Amino acid sequence: ATPVDFGDYHPLKPITVTDTKSRRGARKGSTSSSSSSSSSAAPDPLSSMLDGTDPLSMFAAASAAGAETERQKRREREEEAVGSDFEPWSAKRGEILARFTTTEKLSIGSQRELLNLSQQDYANRIEELNQSLKEAWASDQKVKALKIVIQCSKLLSDTSVIQFYPSKFVLITDILDTFGRLVYERIWTMCSDPRPLPESFSADDVNDTAKETCLNWFFKIASIRELIPRLYVEAAILKCNRFLNKSGIQETLPRLTAMIRGIGDPLVAAYARAYLCRVGMEVAPHLKDSLNRNFFDLLGTFRQIQGDSVQNQLVLQRVEIPEYLTLYSPAINWILQCIAYRAPEPLLTEMMERCKKLGNNALLLNSVMWAFRAEFVAARATDFITMIKDCDEAGFPKHLLFGSLGRSLACADPPEAERLPILNEAWKVITKVRSPQDYINCAEIWVEFTCRHFTKREVNTVLADIIKHMTPDRAFEDAYPQLQSVIRKILTYFHDFSVLFSMERFLPFLDMFQKDSVRVEVCRSIMEVFIKHQLEPTRDPVILNAMLHICKTMHDSVNALTLEDEKRSLALLINGFIRMVSFGRDFEQQLSFCVEARATFCNLEPVLVQLIHTVNQLAMETRRVMRGSHSRKTAAFVRACAAYSFITIPSLSSIFCRLSLYLLSGQVALANQCLSQADAFLKAAVSLLPEVPRSISVEGKLRPSEGFLLDFISNFLSTLLVVPDHPEHGVLYLVRGLLNMVQDYTWEDNGDAKLRVYINALPLLAAMSQEAYLYCIPRVDSNETLYGGDPKFLSEINKLCETLIGQVLDHLKALGRDESVRRQAALAFSLFGCLLAHGDLRNNKLNQLAVNLWNLSHKHGHCDTRASVRTLEFMKHQAQQPDMAHLSDTVQRLALQSRT
C-alpha cells in the first residue's frame, strides 16, 4: 500500500487508495493473481453533484436518455411507415387491366377446359382460383391452398401472349397477396393466446408453436423446385419473417433480389422485381438498399432486349419494339416510385445521371418522369427535353416521353424563363404525330400547361392545332374523353367568359362534339362554370350569343324520353344564365332577349316561368326608373310586358303555376296602373279555377289540392281589395265571379274547404266597407274612391255578407245532423273569430250570433281550450278600449265548457 499524496489533496476531491500487486513479486507456484485495482472511498456528496453521479442527476440523465430513445423510435416508425402521399398499388391495378388487353386465346395449365380462353374468361377463371384458395384455407386444406398458389405462380413464366403479361401479373399477384395475408393472419392468431400481439411486436413475443409453424411454411416453400413460383410464394409471405427474428426481412430481401438474376426473360424479371419492391414497401419501406439494388439489376437487363431470344419472340408474336417496351412501363414505374418516395435530391440526381450513361434509354427516362416528384422534374425540365431529343425515336416514341414530361409540368411549375421554350419544343414534336389518337393523348396533357402559364393567344393556337389534326376522317369521334378533358382544363383556368369566347377556335372546337350525350355534357360543364364564376350581370354580345348557343344545345336534347330530373337540372342551368343577363336601362333590349329566349327554350317549363318572372321584374323596374318621365312610352312598354306574360302563361302545364303567375302578373299590371291588363289577368285566373283537379302530383306523390287552392284564393282575395270595379260590369263583379266559381267547384265530400273560403271572404267585404282602405296602390283609385261610401255599395256588401254567413250556418246545421261534431266545432269557432275581428258586435243580432257560435263550438268539448282562453283574454283586453266597452257584456255571456 502506498500512502496518499497529500500534495494533490483537495477537500472536494475523493480520497483514493491504490493497491498494486506485481507479477514479478510473486513466487513460483504462488496462487495469488496479478492485478491492478483501485477502490474509492465513500463518495463526497458535493463532488458527486458536481460530476453528475448524484441520484437526482442520474435520474434526470436516465429520463433524458429515455426521451431520446423514444424520439429515435418514433423517427424509425415514421421511416418504416408509408404515408398517404404514396400512391398504392391498388390505384394502378385498374389502369393496367384496362390498358394491356388482348384478343388472343389464353391458357391456364394443360387441362382441356382451361385452354383457349378469352381474356374475360381468363380473368374469371383466375378469380375462381382465388375463391378456391380461400375455401381450401377455410376448410383447413393448407396443402391444397399452397398447390393453387404454386400453380398460379408458374403462369408468370409464360409469355406466349406477351401483350397481356402486365394484366396477367396483376391477376396472379392478387392470389399471392391473398395467400400471404392468410398465412400471416394464421400465425398471428396462434400468437394471440392468452392476449393479442401488439402492433409493434418483436420475435421475443412470439411463442414457440407459432415460430415452428412459420418455419414450416418457409421450409415448404424452399422445397419448390422451380425458381419463379419459389420466388413469388416466398415474397408473398415475406412479412412472416417478423415472427422469427428481427433481421429476417432485412436478410431475406437481398437474397430474393439475387434470385431474380436467375430469370432469363427480361420482362418476367422486371415484374418479379416490381413484386418484390411492392411487398418490400409494405413491410419494410425503410430498407432502401434493396430497392436500389433491384433497380440497378434492372438496368443491367436492358441489353437483353436486343438479344436473339427476345427478338425471335417478338417476331413470332408479331409485336413491334415500341409496343414491347411499353409492357415494361408499369413495372419500372413502380420500382422508381418506390425508390423516389421521400428520397433525397442527390439520389434522384444519380438516377438521372445513370439514364444518361445508358445512352438516354427512352423507356427508363419515361419511367423516371412518371415516378419522380413533379417538382424535381419541373426544375430540370430543360435537361429532360435535351435527353428526350437525344433518344432514338424508333425504340420509344418521343411523344410518349413528352406526355410524361407534361404530366409533371401540370403539377409543378418550371422556371418562368424556360416556360415558352419548353412549350415550343414540346409542340414541335406533338404536332408531327401522325396518329390522331396518339396526338390527342399527348396534346390533351399539354393543354393544362398552356392554360396555366399563357394567355388566350397560345391556348387558341393549341385549339386550332387540335382541330386541324382531329377533323380529318372524323377522328374526333374516337377521342371524346380527351376532348372533354381539354374543355375541363380550359374552364379550370379561364373564368372570364368574355376572354374565353373571344378565342376564335373555341366554338369550332365545341362543334367537334357530334355525339348528343357528349355534347350536352360538355355544354353542361360550361354552364356550371359560368354560373359559379360569373358574378356580375352581363350584356356582352359575344357572351350572350355563345351562351344562347350552348343553352339551346342543352334544350334541344330534351325529348319525350327525357327524365324529369334531367329536365329540372337543365332548366336550372339555363335559368342561371337568364338571371345573369342585364341590359341596364335598355329595357326594350331586355324584353327582346326574353322574347328570343321564350322561342328558344319553349320545351322547358321552369325556364318559361323564369322568363315570366324576369319580365314582371322588368316592368316594375321600368316604372321605378322612368317615373315622371316619358309616361306614355313607359305605359306602352309595361303593356308589352303584360302581353308577353299573358301569351306565355297558357303554355304551362301546371295549373297552380298558371294561377300564381296570372295573379302575380295582375298585381304587377295593377301596380303600373295598367287596369285593363290587370283585369284580364285576374279574370283569367278566376275562369281557370274550375279546371283545378282534386289531387295533384307533388314530388311524385298524389296529394289533395284543396290546401293549395285555399292558399291561392286567400292571396287572391287580399288583392281584390285594391282592384277597382270595371265601369261596364256590376258592383264587386270579380268578388262575385270568384265566389260563384267556388260555389260550382267540386270539393271533397267530407271537407269544409268551400265554407272556409266563404269565411275568408268576410274580412275582405268588411275591409271594403271602410271609409279608408287598409292599403292601396299609388295612382290607382280603389272602390273607396270610386263609390265614396255610397249606401247602395255598402248595401251590396251587406247582402253578400248575409249570403255567405247563411251558407256557413246551413252547413253547421247539416254537420250537426250528421254528427260531425268535431268539424262543426272547428268551423263554428272559425266563424266566431271572423265576426269578433271584423264584425260590429254592438249590433245585437250579430252579437247574439257570435255568442251562439261560441256555445256551439264548445257544446261537445271539441274546441281547443287554450285557443278559447286566449280569445277571452284578448276580448277582455279589447274591452278596456274606449269604443269597445260592449265586449265586456259579450265576455260575460261566453263560458268555457269541456267534454263530459
Side-chain angles (χ1 to χ4, degrees), residues 149 175-177 179-181 183 231-240 256 275 279:
V149 176
I175 295 179
L176 288 164
D177 294 341
F179 177 73
R181 185 177 66 255
V183 173
L231 170 71
Y232 271 101
V233 178
E234 183 172 358
I237 67 165
L238 178 67
K239 191 176 180 181
C240 294
L256 294 179
Y275 186 69
V279 295

Side-chain angles (χ1 to χ4, degrees), residues 1 105 164 209 213 222 266 288 303 325 395 413 419 447 460 462 475 483 580 596 669 745 773 841 860 864:
K105 296 299 181 182
F164 185 65
T209 304
T213 302
K288 297 289 187 181
R303 59 178 177 270
L325 291 178
D413 299 334
R419 292 171 186 171
V447 165
N460 190 62
V462 169
L483 296 177
M580 295 307 299
E596 181 182 358
Y745 183 76
Y773 284 1
L841 296 187
H860 300 284
D864 186 343

Side-chain angles (χ1 to χ4, degrees), residues 211-255:
K211 286 184 177 179
E212 183 179 350
T213 302
C214 186
L215 279 171
N216 190 36
W217 275 111
F218 281 109
F219 290 151
K220 287 179 182 178
I221 294 169
S223 65
I224 300 174
R225 286 178 297 175
E226 297 181 36
L227 171 61
I228 289 179
R230 183 169 71 251
L231 170 71
Y232 271 101
V233 178
E234 183 172 358
I237 67 165
L238 178 67
K239 191 176 180 181
C240 294
N241 279 283
R242 290 185 63 192
F243 297 112
L244 299 178
N245 56 69
K246 183 178 180 180
S247 60
I249 294 175
Q250 188 172 358
E251 295 169 357
T252 302
L253 279 172
R255 178 172 57 81

